[in-house]
Amino acid sequence: MLSEVSDQEITEPEADRGDAFLAAALRGEATTLKRASWLAAVGESIWPVQAYVLASAIGAMVGGADTTQDLWTPALVFAALALVRTVLGAAASRLAFLGAERVKSRLRQRLVERLGQWSPLDGHKPDSGEAAALFGESIEALDPYLVRYGPARLRATIEPLFVLALVLSQSWAAALILLFTGPLIPVFMALIGSRARAASEAQMVEILSINRYLADRLSGLADIKLLGAVDTAGAQFSSQAMGVKRATMAVLRVAFLSSAVLELFAAVGVALVAVYVGFSLLGMLHFGTYSAPLTFQTGLFVLMLSPEFYAPLRGFAAAYHDRASATAAAGALERAFGSDFVAIPTDPDRSAAADDAATGVQIRNLGFRHTTELPRVLDGFDLEIAPGEWVALTGPSGVGKTTLLSLIAGLGAPEEGEIAFPSPSKDRPATARPRIAWLPQHPFFFRGTIRQNLTLGRGGITDAEIGSALELAQAARLVASLPRGLSTMLGEGGTGVSGGEAQRLAIARAALAKAGLVIADEPTAHLDPATAEAVRGGLARLAAGRTLIVATHDPVLAAAMAREVVMTATGKARP
């Protein structure tokens, strides 16, 4: 809840990390965004020229000029300047938009790459709800900052000085009014800056929290309903939603309050200039100019310039809220993925090729723990498996069998020690992954056809090869019995097939991978005897001529292996 997120939790070092992260993210598009800022600034600087033309034309009308002849030239000049200003503004907006889209696209690509590289064994990785929020809300929150902040900052730096110089050339009194009222805006903006950033940080915390909560509860919705906890879950979600509401309203309160005060300062400044010009034209004030009294044309020109002195400052104040939101979003990305997130390398296993030659495995002094708070699951573990050997990993639950298989498959990095594949080439798990077929205890199937789930998008796999793989896994009859065969749609998570059918389809999928090392985690767990026998037969046919490592509590499956390695609670192995 927002009440639980105090200002002290939003520390300045975290804000500094957000700024550094933003700077790194913008590095590739800095030139484009600067060009957009300059185009916008040049376009807006045309208005003082337009104001002079307009003031001259109106002054001429007041002086009795012929509107059909003497005003055509000012009108055409004003229209031409307006067209140039519009074109420059459109070009600046387009450049800023394209640069922002490229920055966001690159960040999303890096996010997908990092999530793909993240080890499932890492206890500190973001969950699916948090990752979805970072992918959506956090990156999208950068858009207003990318598009508006640069131009607003440049305008606030250049345009007020330019306008002040023009006003000073006409009336030193009006220039003094602008000079004394203008600094109130950046001073107030500096005062509210820290509060705006803290409110944005708190809002981002609440958004990540509710996304995480919603994703977790949706994944366990069936259990929640069956255990009668729907009302409790609903009440907790409502409480989370109220936290997001309070955090969002806190951000809006700061934004609206600051905007109201800034508009007040600007209105007071313009009003003071208007009072000075009005009383001067009425002959009640006789100071503020350098020689002749203030004329109607000069007074109108100064009056039209005055709002433009405050407009860039007000725009920059509004853009500062965009920067606070972007810094909060960047800080969330940095905390979740690290400071090197914007420059992570490409996954090295993409260039590796599948190879069905039997692969040996050498494990030396392996140590691993899921988080620093937990004890080691593996400690000084040694194991050598010859090419083509079938090995069963047995032992009580919790001794690290699944963890060891995951490390061999390259789904995580050991804390110490090494895993090597000496045959057919010396590789590490990350680069050898295409030569490894992975059979988890609970195979995952995407929402799609059986063909799509078997091929996983790999091209060049024919229906004949799929049929052979299904025959090997004893799943051909299952697929043939379905009305649409390989085109039958499966629900998310494999809805539509039983546990045993899912295991046989997973064996067929592994057969299509043509890998030299087969890793299986409890492939016969929770299956009836007949289905378990079918799975054991399919696994044996899959592993023929290949290396097979299987973690199991099934004594029949363990007996079919050439060697059994009993793992103990000390993280060691006993042959």
Side-chain angles (χ1 to χ4, degrees):
M1 300 306 102
L2 178 61
S3 58
E4 298 172 354
V5 183
S6 65
D7 291 344
Q8 285 73 23
E9 291 175 322
I10 312 301
T11 61
E12 190 62 30
E14 290 178 343
D16 292 341
R17 291 204 305 267
D19 290 336
F21 187 94
L22 275 178
L26 296 179
R27 194 169 295 135
E29 298 297 329
T31 302
T32 300
L33 296 176
K34 285 181 181 178
R35 190 177 294 126
S37 299
W38 277 106
L39 282 175
V42 171
E44 292 300 326
S45 67
I46 294 177
W47 168 247
V49 183
Q50 288 183 281
Y52 179 78
V53 172
L54 185 61
S56 299
I58 296 176
M61 290 175 59
V62 173
D66 186 351
T67 57
T68 60
Q69 296 180 3
D70 297 341
L71 299 182
W72 270 109
T73 299
L76 291 176
V77 171
F78 186 89
L81 290 173
L83 179 62
V84 173
R85 183 182 178 189
T86 302
V87 170
L88 289 176
S93 298
R94 177 174 174 78
L95 270 181
F97 173 79
L98 292 176
E101 287 300 312
R102 284 194 290 265
V103 170
K104 293 189 296 181
S105 297
R106 186 165 58 247
L107 286 176
R108 288 194 173 98
Q109 179 183 356
R110 300 287 173 84
L111 176 59
V112 172
E113 291 177 353
R114 173 55 62 89
L115 289 174
Q117 292 175 341
W118 215 301
S119 167
L121 305 179
D122 193 336
H124 297 292
K125 69 179 184 299
D127 53 44
S128 57
E130 182 179 359
L134 294 171
F135 193 86
E137 286 91 340
S138 294
I139 292 181
E140 203 59 36
L142 303 179
D143 189 71
Y145 166 79
L146 296 172
V147 173
R148 294 201 296 250
Y149 183 75
R153 183 176 63 177
L154 187 61
R155 282 192 63 197
T157 304
I158 297 175
E159 194 170 342
L161 297 177
F162 178 48
V163 171
L164 183 64
L166 291 177
V167 172
L168 183 61
S169 68
Q170 305 298 319
S171 169
W172 58 265
L176 282 178
I177 294 174
L178 299 180
L179 187 62
F180 281 105
T181 57
L184 295 176
I185 293 178
V187 168
F188 184 77
M189 185 176 63
L191 293 176
I192 67 171
S194 60
R195 182 55 193 162
R197 174 175 285 182
S200 297
E201 291 272 8
Q203 182 192 34
M204 187 57 61
V205 169
E206 293 294 341
I207 289 174
L208 294 178
S209 177
I210 196 171
N211 274 271
R212 185 185 302 117
Y213 182 89
L214 181 60
D216 289 343
R217 296 316 182 268
L218 287 177
S219 62
L221 188 58
D223 291 336
I224 291 174
K225 293 178 67 176
L226 292 173
L227 295 174
V230 174
D231 292 340
T232 301
Q236 290 174 343
F237 183 75
S238 178
S239 177
Q240 293 269 359
M242 288 301 297
V244 175
K245 175 184 175 182
R246 286 192 293 268
T248 303
M249 292 305 298
V251 173
L252 293 177
R253 277 196 300 270
V254 173
F256 287 138
L257 178 62
S258 61
S259 297
V261 175
L262 295 177
E263 290 293 338
L264 175 63
F265 290 156
V268 168
V270 173
L272 289 175
V273 173
V275 168
Y276 165 73
V277 171
F279 280 110
S280 295
L281 294 178
L282 291 173
M284 300 177 66
L285 295 178
H286 304 283
F287 66 90
T289 57
Y290 298 102
S291 55
L294 192 71
T295 64
F296 178 83
Q297 177 179 333
T298 302
L300 182 61
F301 178 56
V302 169
L303 194 57
M304 285 193 294
L305 284 183
S306 298
E308 287 303 303
F309 176 79
Y310 300 100
L313 299 176
R314 297 201 313 270
F316 182 57
Y320 194 82
H321 290 285
D322 298 332
R323 182 179 183 275
S325 299
T327 302
L333 288 166
E334 195 275 339
R335 287 191 296 273
F337 296 100
S339 57
D340 62 337
F341 166 63
V342 293
I344 60 174
T346 302
D347 196 340
D349 68 346
R350 292 182 180 176
S351 60
D355 190 341
D356 60 358
T359 301
V361 182
Q362 290 181 348
I363 303 172
R364 301 183 184 90
N365 194 35
L366 195 67
F368 180 82
R369 75 182 79 207
H370 293 283
T371 66
T372 55
E373 296 83 7
L374 297 175
R376 283 191 174 186
V377 180
L378 300 169
D379 189 9
F381 187 89
D382 294 297
L383 180 64
E384 184 165 346
I385 301 173
E389 186 178 11
W390 291 9
V391 175
L393 301 177
T394 62
S397 299
V399 296
K401 299 188 296 296
T402 298
T403 299
L404 176 60
L405 294 183
S406 300
L407 293 173
I408 295 173
L411 299 179
E415 186 176 323
E416 64 179 34
E418 66 171 354
I419 302 173
F421 301 90
S423 175
S425 60
K426 293 184 177 180
D427 282 316
R428 293 295 180 268
T431 54
R433 196 177 298 158
R435 293 190 288 274
I436 300 174
W438 170 253
L439 290 170
Q441 184 175 354
H442 303 288
F444 185 84
F445 292 91
F446 303 94
R447 177 176 174 81
T449 65
I450 291 179
R451 178 185 286 105
Q452 291 170 335
N453 274 283
L454 292 177
T455 61
L456 296 179
R458 295 189 296 263
I461 299 178
T462 64
D463 284 354
E465 291 176 310
I466 295 176
S468 298
L470 291 171
E471 287 287 349
L472 178 146
Q474 294 187 1
R477 185 177 300 176
L478 163 67
V479 175
S481 67
L482 299 174
R484 300 185 61 191
L486 290 172
S487 298
T488 301
M489 289 289 296
L490 297 180
E492 185 178 358
T495 304
V497 295
S498 66
E501 292 168 343
Q503 282 290 359
R504 281 180 280 171
L505 289 175
I507 291 173
R509 182 163 62 186
L512 292 172
K514 299 178 181 179
L517 172 61
V518 179
I519 299 176
D521 184 17
E522 299 284 0
T524 59
H526 313 299
L527 300 180
D528 62 84
T531 304
E533 181 58 35
V535 170
R536 283 192 291 265
L539 186 61
R541 287 186 291 274
L542 170 64
R546 297 179 172 92
T547 306
L548 173 62
I549 308 173
V550 58
T552 183
H553 289 98
D554 183 353
V556 179
L557 181 59
M561 301 295 106
R563 178 159 56 113
E564 179 180 354
V565 176
V566 181
M567 297 183 64
T568 65
T570 60
K572 304 290 185 178
R574 179 166 52 83

